[in-house]
Amino acid sequence: MNHRTLRSPLTLAVLACLNYAALAPAQETPDAGNETDANKQKWLEKLSKDDRAALDETLGFAPAKFTDDLKWVGGEPATWDTLIGRVVVIQSWTSASPAGKRWPQRVGTALKDTPPSDLAIVALHTPEGAAEAEEILKKQSPPGNVRVVIDATGAFCDELGVWKNPVNIVIDRNGAVRYAGLNTNGLKQAVAELAAEPFDKSKLAKPRATEKSESESQTKAPDAKFPPTTGSVRSANDIRGKRAPDFYVDKWVTTRPNAEGKVVVIDFWATWCPPCRASIPHMNQLASKFGDKVCFVGLSDEKSDNFELGLRKHNLKLRDFKYSLALDPKDTMSRVINVTGIPHCIVMSKDWIVRWQGNPTSLSAETLQKIVDADAATPAASGASAGKKRGWTQ
């Protein structure tokens, strides 16, 4: 059984389904033309109740700002200031499946007759398969009218309400999300409709109020209490102060821990690695000291049989570990961080922001205690997309 994430949002209920009538924009917009509401229902792709509900929350508002951690392929990063005045189509996709790979080509072909002066197409790669996306793009280039951006962490996808099923979001010239989750025929008609509307800078769309913006002032003060980041990070990308990528486990070797509302320590290691084995006593000391206040996980990229063989070879037993153990042979999380040497450890506060990073033997009880104390003063719902009921960063 696969488990995507450790954090408390797992305990939240899923989004309630919103009415499809939400296709109509929340703010004043020009006449939509001759299409009736009943006909526009036929434009919709068949999506799950939760996927539709998450997308519908964005309708009528300005889309979320492009996050700083996005990787734009083959060009400079786009901003909404450079796109305003054109219709924008954001199409999510993944290179992790044959069907997912085809979406940039499919959308680019469907909208090839709309000139670039009227339309911008952004193919948004979700975190699923993000580590291999650039290599695949070298073999399968998108159409010339499509820009590709990779969201390895899922922070931007979460803000848009984008999950694993490929979906599109259509934004009008004034920067308002007018449609979401359309089928190919509906997408072509929607773009034609919106391209015919004039740009009116006096009617620019406003952003949707989110829990992040409401709690932002509350989180600034507690953030100042976290230990400052000092020194450099070796053998991985430095993600201190940033949201950690989604935590993924292929198999729990020990009982799955309860990480709700806790600081989480993840140690990337393997049984074959001497420095990793040498760090076990230190990790055990920390786990014993902090008990149930901190969730410790040792995450190995070994396959199950190799992991068991490694335990036996080095005379290690599960009872020797005072913390939880899990396996992910695909390196789902460590690839995003670009871990090139183990052991490597990251410490996240309950809002999933990385507060410490480095070799686990360098993580002192004093530093961890400061993180725990600061985390206790941080609102439980802080951090981007914390209000969402499910998502890449939850």
Side-chain angles (χ1 to χ4, degrees):
M1 179 177 182
N2 291 345
H3 302 281
R4 292 189 54 261
T5 179
L6 285 168
R7 289 176 297 143
S8 56
L10 281 177
T11 64
L12 300 175
V14 295
L15 286 168
C17 180
L18 301 182
N19 194 308
Y20 282 171
L23 270 178
Q27 60 188 55
E28 182 182 353
T29 54
D31 187 352
N34 297 324
E35 290 284 350
T36 65
D37 288 341
N39 285 337
K40 286 185 178 179
Q41 294 301 311
K42 298 179 182 179
W43 293 7
L44 296 174
E45 186 72 81
K46 292 182 179 180
L47 299 174
S48 72
K49 181 189 300 183
D50 300 327
D51 283 356
R52 176 62 61 188
L55 290 172
D56 283 353
E57 285 190 353
T58 67
L59 294 169
F61 299 100
K65 292 182 179 180
F66 295 113
T67 54
D68 293 337
D69 57 359
L70 293 174
K71 185 163 188 178
W72 293 84
V73 179
E76 292 297 317
T79 66
W80 289 115
D81 288 339
T82 62
L83 297 174
I84 200 73
R86 287 184 285 172
V87 177
V88 179
V89 172
I90 297 179
Q91 174 65 55
S92 70
W93 68 294
T94 175
S95 57
S97 69
K101 292 178 185 178
R102 292 195 292 268
W103 274 102
Q105 182 70 45
R106 184 181 301 177
V107 172
T109 301
L111 302 176
K112 60 182 176 59
D113 294 330
T114 306
S117 57
D118 291 325
L119 174 68
I121 305 173
V122 177
L124 174 64
H125 197 295
T126 63
E128 187 177 23
E132 296 81 22
E134 288 189 79
E135 286 300 317
I136 291 174
L137 285 168
K138 293 177 182 178
K139 303 175 184 177
Q140 180 181 307
S141 299
N145 61 339
V146 176
R147 287 209 61 186
V148 174
V149 61
I150 300 173
D151 184 7
T153 69
F156 184 57
C157 287
D158 280 352
E159 291 297 330
L160 294 178
V162 170
W163 188 226
K164 292 188 175 182
N165 194 61
V167 294
N168 49 58
I169 295 172
V170 188
I171 300 136
D172 67 19
R173 293 183 187 272
N174 297 330
V177 176
R178 292 283 290 277
Y179 300 102
L182 302 180
N183 56 40
T184 303
N185 182 58
L187 179 62
K188 290 191 289 186
Q189 295 189 59
V191 168
E193 171 193 295
L194 298 182
E197 295 179 356
F199 169 55
D200 187 345
K201 64 180 180 180
S202 68
K203 296 182 178 179
L204 294 181
K206 297 181 179 180
R208 176 171 59 99
T210 64
E211 290 193 22
K212 176 185 176 182
S213 60
E214 291 167 359
S215 64
E216 194 170 26
S217 60
Q218 301 175 25
T219 62
K220 285 182 179 178
D223 276 355
K225 298 178 183 178
F226 284 102
T229 56
T230 58
S232 59
V233 171
R234 298 180 180 179
S235 304
N237 295 340
D238 187 350
I239 58 171
R240 293 174 297 180
K242 301 178 181 178
R243 181 176 290 280
D246 194 26
F247 180 67
Y248 179 88
V249 166
D250 183 68
K251 178 182 178 181
W252 285 101
V253 178
T254 59
T255 302
R256 180 182 176 182
N258 176 18
E260 183 174 350
K262 300 176 185 178
V263 170
V264 176
V265 178
I266 298 178
D267 177 28
F268 299 100
W269 79 295
T271 60
W272 53 261
C273 166
C276 298
R277 298 194 301 271
S279 69
I280 294 173
H282 181 69
M283 286 285 288
N284 279 337
Q285 288 177 3
L286 291 177
S288 297
K289 177 178 176 61
F290 288 89
D292 197 45
K293 294 181 180 179
V294 178
C295 177
F296 291 84
V297 178
L299 183 60
S300 172
D301 65 354
E302 297 167 281
K303 293 182 179 179
S304 184
D305 54 349
N306 291 337
F307 181 80
E308 293 175 5
L309 180 62
L311 291 178
R312 292 195 299 269
K313 180 179 179 179
H314 299 289
N315 197 29
L316 293 172
K317 297 177 177 59
L318 294 183
R319 64 173 178 267
D320 296 333
F321 297 83
K322 306 301 182 184
Y323 49 96
S324 301
L325 299 177
L327 304 178
D328 178 24
K330 293 185 178 179
D331 281 333
T332 306
M333 188 178 192
S334 64
R335 282 193 181 188
V336 176
I337 305 173
N338 193 31
V339 175
T340 58
I342 54 176
H344 191 82
C345 181
I346 55 176
V347 181
M348 283 78 64
S349 46
K350 61 176 172 279
D351 56 7
W352 214 236
I353 301 299
V354 176
R355 304 299 179 178
W356 187 91
Q357 183 178 7
N359 190 297
T361 57
S362 299
L363 176 60
S364 67
E366 180 183 7
T367 296
L368 189 54
Q369 185 63 59
K370 290 180 180 178
I371 295 174
V372 170
D373 292 342
D375 187 67
T378 303
S382 64
S385 304
K388 298 190 187 307
K389 306 304 186 287
R390 65 100 172 93
W392 298 100
T393 57
Q394 296 308 292

